[in-house]
Amino acid sequence: MSAPGPSADEAALKELIADELGAVRDRSLRLTTDVLAEDELTAQVSPLMSPLVWDLAHVGNYEELWLLRAAAGREAMRPEIDDLYDAFEHPRSERPTLPLLKPEEARSYIGTVRSKVLDTLSSVRFDTPDPLTSGGFVYGMVVQHEHMHDETMLATHQLRRGAPALLDPTAEPLQVPGGGAGEGADEVLIEAGPFQMGTSDEPWAYDNERPVHIVDLPAYYIDVEPVTNAAYTAFIEAGGYDDPRWWHPAGWEWRSTGGKRAPAFWERDGGQWLRRRFGRTEPVPPGEPVQHVSWYEADAYARWAGKRLPTEAEWEKAARWDPDAGRSRRYPWGDVYEEGRANLGQRALHPSETGSYAAGASAYGVRRLLGDVWEWTSSDFHGYPGFRSFPYKEYSEVFFGPDYKVLRGGSWATHPLAIRGSFRNWDYPIRRQIFSGFRCARSVARSAAGEGR
């Protein structure tokens, strides 16, 4: 299910919101209290992550703040816990020391919040000039927020070293080989010219996606598919981790200090590479996109391959721009979300194989731009021209600057409602616990020959 269009009927929109609130809560519980014991929920598996019970109560507290207090005008239920679940008051490393709600208490609290939200939903008006409630924005914000935390919970599960709590779904994603413009080619040419970047009419888009603006780009090439495990293994075997020529200076320091030799969760066993995936050890599948790589690793590979990471604008033009229609699409394939066009929504606990989801290709024939792995770009995170913080600056504005790199496209763990062609993610360039990968680009003026081959 995707977010509503700009002219959604209010009654239908409220029904959609109620359904999506229920679906995301079911997902949250299947990642926490439905599968883990209390001690596992309260444990911190890494200082990079919160205890899962913190995430569980946090999504309920966020929902209370925005849907009961802000949208419905209700009195605070538990004002004394607001500070505990304010992500900006307490870094993840110190959250286990806080007097957090116990798992059953957290589940009861978020359940009571949800019941009151559904009771008040019918009385909230969406046809008002208030940007918070117009078009159901604040409800979409809360649903997307919980899905984002569900993806964070999946990253926490990946870091766990105990018995597997998650199993692959029985229904694997559709495998659709071939198809689309550029079939058989490794890269496609995106011709020079302007395109519309961002959005001004997507009702549930975040402030950092707005406003729509024109960006004029020179011609460039971009990979048809994300970089695979097989391709990345070639970089490792060629000594890519031992040659500072390919590394950003800060990346070389990070690699050297931490002794990094491969993507996170990989290990060498004799003549093959293995990976740990949700508590199970398995051979690295050569045809899947590489994931759990930092920006520094992605940048080093691209340099070694004689290419570079695409800018954020280059990624979005390849994903959204329809040169024949002269406009940007909501998704690479069109304006309506369709199942079977992207590996999204936790349909499998891993990326899909090269050649999958050909029906999800963009107008240029670039494939798997949504789903599978978040794709690092070369761009720092910043606001677009005319950016206005809404509804709170801590969502986007406080992160603007050179410390964060932009990722695009979502991953297999991203829910369809929480992703679109204009959506922007960001993180530190050292981050690897996220489901991150990349594809490469190159400028037309540069030779196609690899510098490191």
Side-chain angles (χ1 to χ4, degrees):
M1 181 69 70
S2 63
S7 59
D9 173 78
E10 182 160 317
L13 181 54
K14 289 185 176 182
E15 183 178 358
L16 168 70
I17 287 169
D19 289 345
E20 293 300 334
L21 284 168
V24 71
R25 183 54 46 82
D26 287 345
R27 185 187 186 198
S28 298
L29 296 178
R30 289 197 303 270
L31 292 171
T32 55
T33 56
D34 285 357
V35 295
L36 293 176
E38 179 171 330
D39 62 334
E40 296 172 304
L41 293 167
T42 57
Q44 185 179 48
V45 300
S46 165
L48 296 174
M49 312 303 289
S50 307
L52 287 166
V53 73
W54 185 93
D55 288 284
L56 185 64
H58 168 74
V59 297
N61 184 247
Y62 187 90
E63 183 174 340
E64 184 198 345
L65 289 169
W66 288 106
L67 300 190
L68 289 183
R69 301 186 204 177
R74 292 294 184 92
E75 293 293 321
M77 288 174 50
R78 299 284 300 271
E80 76 279 5
I81 68 172
D82 288 351
D83 175 78
L84 298 177
Y85 298 104
D86 185 334
F88 291 90
E89 287 295 324
H90 303 284
R92 289 177 175 178
S93 59
E94 73 175 39
R95 290 173 189 170
T97 67
L98 303 175
L100 303 177
L101 300 181
K102 299 296 184 184
E104 283 306 310
E105 188 180 6
R107 184 164 181 161
S108 175
Y109 165 65
I110 67 173
T112 301
V113 171
R114 174 57 52 80
S115 179
K116 292 185 177 184
V117 165
L118 294 176
D119 286 344
T120 59
L121 179 59
S122 61
S123 62
V124 176
R125 299 292 301 275
F126 293 165
D127 57 346
T128 71
D130 183 353
L132 192 65
T133 52
S134 178
F137 169 82
V138 70
Y139 289 84
M141 181 181 79
V142 166
V143 172
Q144 291 179 88
H145 172 264
E146 187 161 347
H147 276 303
M148 291 176 197
H149 273 272
D150 288 346
E151 183 161 354
T152 299
M153 291 180 196
L154 280 164
T156 302
H157 276 277
Q158 171 62 18
L159 287 162
R160 292 180 64 249
R161 291 188 173 274
L166 303 176
L167 299 174
D168 282 298
T170 55
E172 287 291 298
L174 297 175
Q175 304 296 318
V176 187
E183 182 177 358
D186 294 331
E187 59 184 9
V188 296
L189 172 67
I190 311 296
E191 295 182 351
F195 81 104
Q196 297 165 349
M197 186 170 185
T199 181
S200 292
D201 59 5
E202 179 73 34
W204 289 359
Y206 284 96
D207 55 7
N208 64 66
E209 299 172 64
R210 305 172 185 268
V212 66
H213 56 290
I214 302 299
V215 177
D216 198 351
L217 294 174
Y220 62 97
Y221 288 94
I222 192 166
D223 289 355
V224 171
E225 298 266 11
V227 171
T228 64
N229 288 321
Y232 198 85
T233 299
F235 167 66
I236 298 173
E237 302 298 343
Y241 278 82
D242 300 316
D243 193 334
R245 287 183 299 164
W246 314 129
W247 293 80
H248 185 285
W252 183 249
E253 181 181 1
W254 168 83
R255 189 223 69 87
S256 302
T257 302
K260 303 296 188 294
R261 307 292 301 176
F265 310 112
W266 283 33
E267 62 181 40
R268 188 77 172 176
D269 182 26
Q272 68 174 335
W273 284 100
L274 305 177
R275 71 177 181 187
R276 179 167 59 84
R277 185 175 65 87
F278 296 104
R280 296 171 290 277
T281 300
E282 61 192 17
V284 171
E288 287 185 11
V290 64
Q291 70 172 350
H292 298 303
V293 289
S294 69
W295 183 90
Y296 291 129
E297 289 167 297
D299 179 65
Y301 172 94
R303 293 171 188 267
W304 170 80
K307 298 185 178 183
R308 57 177 173 79
L309 295 180
T311 66
E312 182 182 11
E314 287 173 336
W315 187 97
E316 185 166 331
K317 184 176 183 180
R320 298 186 63 206
W321 186 242
D322 183 339
D324 293 332
R327 68 178 186 88
S328 287
R329 299 170 172 178
R330 195 180 197 187
Y331 304 104
W333 56 85
D335 294 327
V336 177
Y337 183 77
E338 298 177 53
E339 291 289 343
R341 292 185 183 266
N343 181 16
L344 291 163
Q346 206 176 322
R347 297 179 66 182
L349 298 178
H350 57 83
S352 61
E353 292 282 330
T354 295
S356 302
Y357 299 102
S362 73
Y364 292 103
V366 184
R367 296 194 285 266
R368 293 194 294 165
L369 287 152
L370 293 192
D372 285 304
V373 289
W374 286 102
E375 298 186 15
W376 288 109
T377 72
S378 64
S379 299
D380 298 337
F381 187 46
H382 60 79
Y384 291 153
F387 169 83
R388 295 183 62 184
S389 180
F390 177 80
Y392 58 105
K393 67 180 182 179
E394 289 82 7
Y395 179 74
S396 299
E397 188 174 359
V398 298
F399 299 102
F400 291 165
D403 291 342
Y404 295 90
K405 294 295 185 181
V406 174
L407 302 102
R408 288 303 208 103
S411 76
W412 59 263
T414 306
H415 192 271
L417 193 142
I419 195 66
R420 49 203 159 263
S422 59
F423 188 88
R424 309 170 73 197
N425 192 7
W426 63 95
D427 215 326
Y428 290 114
I430 63 172
R431 287 288 184 256
R432 306 205 299 172
Q433 83 275 16
I434 58 177
F435 305 108
S436 52
F438 63 101
R439 74 180 69 218
C440 296
R442 64 182 177 92
S443 303
V444 169
R446 292 188 60 184
S447 168
E451 293 180 357
R453 303 289 182 149

